[in-house]
């Protein structure tokens, strides 16, 4: 017979284990109580019957029968036993039928089995009894049944029946409820996961706002799913962009070669067509090389080349590289790197990132404009800022420009691949830096990272 699904859950099994441990503790506690009660009651009974036996045995022979009879009559609970026996074992008085053979005379109290005579009715009992030898050779036996202990034991049994069984039933009910609840939650999560695996990337795990472990896990997984969805859609868009951007130069190559094959009348015309084809191929190779470079940086986990890098020296080197280029374009170029700050990173990659930012600023700033490269310090952060007076980036595109192949409408007529800022973003992410690009007329790009001296 197959058990219900919830009985195989960890929650239900743990409930059974905890309930079993709870029951065991309760039983051990009641067992200890009974053992202590038996020990104390036995000691009290032994002291009582020994005192009575010594008192009656010390009397004159005629008074012993009266004393025994008085002791047995004062017995509303019918727990007292006593017997006076002659030297030959014959019963003289009392309610004990025969002298127990196992009862030691003049010893401490012990547990024996004897027959009680009660209005002609014989009753076999196990009692605590003592025997005292008499001077004339007879034996006095005084006993008492364990009525008090039996009464306490019955109370404990009723307490266990009334309290423990309902508690066990309640714990099992709670275990079933929690198991069914967890099972429903898991089935709901499984259903969502199956839909996600089937391609429904917009699906999310259910959150109930209870801040329990399930909700916290669901929130983390949903955050991961959101990132995966963005990456998958971005990857699909990148594939389309790659196909679009490679189609144009490759088409030009094909057209140039086809024209050369059909119309080239001499070697010079053929060379001109081949040169045009080579330009298109170089552009395609540049796109592929840039994509591979970005992928290499994004998936790199090696920190072997990370060292403490003096940003002031690095910024001044980039300034020295682009100052002649800006001068040829009649763009005012200024470098301010007075701040003495150091960051932990790859010097070559950081140089490449800053150079890309400066290159974009110089390229898109018109003649007579100004580009400023500066190094600042904000608290524990070192900030490389590149400002220009170019047309700037629309405010709604300030986050889009770091995507691969994305080019603003203002820059589509300018040469470029649309991968420079993607490369800068990848380098910043590898170093744990932040990249901020402001929108509006003019452009301010900031690359900020934690200073190594902090």
């Amino acid at each position: 017979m197959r058990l219900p699904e919830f009985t195989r859950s960890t929650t239900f099994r743990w409930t059974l284990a905890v309930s079993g441990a709870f029951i065991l503790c309760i039983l051990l506690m009641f067992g200890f109580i009974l053992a202590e009660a038996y020990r104390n009651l036995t000691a009290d009974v032994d002291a009582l019957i020994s005192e009575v036996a010594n008192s009656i045995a010390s009397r004159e022979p005629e008074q012993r029968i009266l004393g025994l009879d008085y002791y047995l009559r004062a017995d509303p609970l019918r727990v007292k036993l006593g017997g006076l026996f002659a030297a030959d074992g014959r019963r003289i008085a009392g309610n004990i039928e025969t002298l127990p053979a196992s009862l030691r005379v003049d010893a401490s109290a012990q547990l024996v089995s004897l027959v009680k005579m009660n209005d002609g009715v014989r009753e076999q009992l196990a009692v605590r009894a003592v025997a005292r030898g008499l001077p004339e050779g007879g034996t006095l036996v005084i006993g008492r049944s364990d009525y008090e202990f039996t009464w306490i034991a019955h109370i404990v049994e009723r307490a266990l029946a009334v309290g423990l069984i309902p508690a066990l039933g309640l714990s099992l009910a709670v275990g079933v409820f929690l198991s069914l609840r967890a099972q429903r939650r898991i089935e709901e999560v499984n259903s969502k996961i199956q839909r996600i695996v089937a391609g429904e990337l917009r699906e999310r795990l259910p959150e109930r706002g209870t801040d329990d472990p399930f909700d916290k896990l669901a929130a983390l997984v949903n955050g991961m799913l959101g990132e995966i969805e963005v990456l998958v859609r971005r990857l699909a868009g990148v594939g389309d962009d790659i196909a679009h951007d490679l189609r144009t130069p490759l088409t030009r190559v094909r057209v140039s070669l086809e024209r050369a094959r059909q119309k080239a009348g001499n070697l010079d015309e053929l060379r001109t067509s081949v040169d045009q084809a080579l330009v298109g191929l170089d552009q395609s190779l540049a796109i592929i090389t840039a994509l591979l470079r970005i992928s290499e940086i994004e998936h790199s986990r090696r920190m072997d080349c990370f060292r403490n890098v003096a940003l002031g020296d690095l910024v001044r080197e980039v300034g020295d590289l682009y100052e002649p280029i800006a001068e040829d374009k009649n763009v005012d170029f200024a470098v301010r790197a007075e701040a003495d700050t150091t960051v932990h990173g790859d010097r070559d990659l950081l140089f490449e990132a800053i150079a890309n930012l400066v290159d974009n600023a110089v390229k898109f700033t018109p003649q007579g404009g100004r580009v400023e490269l500066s190094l600042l310090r904000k608290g524990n952060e070192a900030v490389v800022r590149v400002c220009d007076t170019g047309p700037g980036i629309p405010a709604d595109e300030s986050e889009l420009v770091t995507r691969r192949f994305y080019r603003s409408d203002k820059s589509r007529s300018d040469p470029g691949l649309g991968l420079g800022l993607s490369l800068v973003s990848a380098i910043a992410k590898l170093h744990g830096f932040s990249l901020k690009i402001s929108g509006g007329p003019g452009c301010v790009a900031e690359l900020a990272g934690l200073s190594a001296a902090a």
Side-chain angles (χ1 to χ4, degrees), residues 384-405:
V384 176
R385 177 183 293 169
V386 180
C387 306
D388 64 62
T389 58
I393 299 172
D396 57 347
E397 296 183 9
S398 58
E399 295 183 1
L400 301 177
V401 293
T402 57
R403 294 184 181 179
R404 300 178 188 181
F405 297 108

Side-chain angles (χ1 to χ4, degrees), residues 317-427:
E317 287 184 27
V318 175
D320 293 341
L321 177 65
Y322 278 91
E323 187 175 6
I325 300 175
E327 185 178 349
D328 290 342
K329 195 178 177 182
N330 194 22
V331 172
D332 185 21
F333 187 77
V335 179
R336 296 181 180 178
E338 292 86 4
D340 184 16
T341 185
T342 303
V343 296
H344 190 66
D346 187 313
R347 192 179 192 282
D348 294 337
L349 291 180
L350 291 175
F351 183 93
E352 188 173 357
I354 298 172
N356 267 283
L357 294 177
V358 175
D359 184 76
N360 278 342
V362 172
K363 180 167 60 176
F364 293 110
T365 300
Q367 292 185 2
R370 176 178 175 81
V371 174
E372 181 176 319
L373 171 62
S374 56
L375 175 61
L376 311 173
R377 187 180 181 91
K378 294 182 179 180
N380 293 334
E381 283 191 333
V383 181
V384 176
R385 177 183 293 169
V386 180
C387 306
D388 64 62
T389 58
I393 299 172
D396 57 347
E397 296 183 9
S398 58
E399 295 183 1
L400 301 177
V401 293
T402 57
R403 294 184 181 179
R404 300 178 188 181
F405 297 108
Y406 184 86
R407 303 188 72 189
S408 177
D409 292 335
K410 296 180 181 180
S411 64
R412 291 200 177 273
S413 59
D414 296 313
L417 306 176
L419 294 172
L421 291 178
S422 297
L423 182 62
V424 176
S425 178
I427 295 173

Side-chain angles (χ1 to χ4, degrees), residues 61-376:
E62 295 81 9
Q63 298 297 321
R64 291 175 189 150
I65 297 176
L66 295 176
L68 178 60
D69 184 61
Y70 178 78
Y71 168 73
L72 295 177
R73 281 202 311 269
D75 185 18
L77 299 179
R78 307 177 69 85
V79 296
K80 297 180 179 179
L81 295 94
L84 185 60
F85 299 91
D88 57 1
R90 177 176 51 86
R91 182 168 65 89
I92 300 173
N95 60 2
I96 299 177
E97 184 180 46
T98 59
L99 179 65
S102 60
L103 184 60
R104 299 186 299 273
V105 179
D106 295 330
S108 60
Q110 63 186 88
L111 182 66
V112 295
S113 177
L114 47 78
V115 177
K116 178 181 179 182
M117 301 295 296
N118 186 16
D119 298 331
V121 179
R122 302 172 70 254
E123 183 180 4
Q124 188 78 29
L125 297 176
V127 299
R128 300 291 296 183
V130 293
R132 293 292 182 263
L134 303 175
E136 62 273 15
T139 304
L140 174 67
V141 177
I142 299 296
R144 184 182 177 93
S145 69
D146 57 351
Y147 168 80
E148 290 85 354
F149 178 75
T150 303
W151 177 70
I152 294 176
H154 288 165
I155 291 178
V156 170
E157 289 175 0
R158 288 195 297 271
L160 289 175
V162 172
L164 194 58
I165 294 177
L168 177 59
L170 179 62
S171 65
L172 291 177
V174 171
V176 172
F177 170 74
L178 294 177
S179 298
L180 291 175
R181 181 184 177 190
Q183 185 179 355
R184 285 194 298 268
R185 190 78 180 268
I186 291 174
E187 288 175 354
E188 189 177 1
V189 170
N190 286 339
S191 175
K192 294 289 185 180
I193 290 177
Q194 288 175 3
R195 296 185 64 179
I196 294 170
V197 171
E200 296 290 337
L201 296 180
R202 294 184 179 179
E203 290 288 344
R204 295 294 182 268
L205 300 186
E207 297 183 45
R208 300 181 179 178
T210 56
D211 200 32
D212 59 5
F214 264 118
D215 254 20
K216 292 180 181 179
L217 179 60
L220 290 175
V221 173
N222 287 339
M224 180 183 67
L225 290 174
E227 185 71 18
I228 291 175
E229 181 183 7
V230 171
L231 292 176
V232 169
R233 297 190 184 281
R234 186 178 297 176
L235 181 61
V238 168
D240 295 339
D241 292 337
I242 292 175
H244 179 271
D245 280 65
L246 285 179
R247 181 176 61 181
T248 301
L250 291 178
T251 300
R252 290 174 181 172
V253 171
R254 188 183 187 284
V255 170
S256 297
L257 294 177
E258 187 175 2
R259 286 179 179 176
R261 183 172 63 85
Q262 293 177 355
K263 298 181 179 181
N266 53 49
L267 184 59
D268 290 336
E269 292 180 357
L270 181 60
R271 285 177 175 173
T272 301
S273 298
V274 171
D275 289 341
Q276 293 176 353
L278 290 175
V279 171
L281 289 175
D282 288 340
Q283 186 178 0
S284 300
L285 289 174
I287 293 174
I288 295 173
T289 301
L291 288 172
L292 291 175
R293 178 65 170 157
I294 294 173
S295 178
E296 178 187 1
I297 293 173
E298 287 180 339
H299 295 88
S300 175
R301 294 294 181 268
R302 296 184 304 174
M303 303 295 181
D304 297 341
C305 296
F306 275 37
R307 301 287 188 275
N308 286 339
V309 180
L311 276 185
D313 297 339
L314 195 64
V315 167
R316 284 187 285 271
E317 287 184 27
V318 175
D320 293 341
L321 177 65
Y322 278 91
E323 187 175 6
I325 300 175
E327 185 178 349
D328 290 342
K329 195 178 177 182
N330 194 22
V331 172
D332 185 21
F333 187 77
V335 179
R336 296 181 180 178
E338 292 86 4
D340 184 16
T341 185
T342 303
V343 296
H344 190 66
D346 187 313
R347 192 179 192 282
D348 294 337
L349 291 180
L350 291 175
F351 183 93
E352 188 173 357
I354 298 172
N356 267 283
L357 294 177
V358 175
D359 184 76
N360 278 342
V362 172
K363 180 167 60 176
F364 293 110
T365 300
Q367 292 185 2
R370 176 178 175 81
V371 174
E372 181 176 319
L373 171 62
S374 56
L375 175 61
L376 311 173

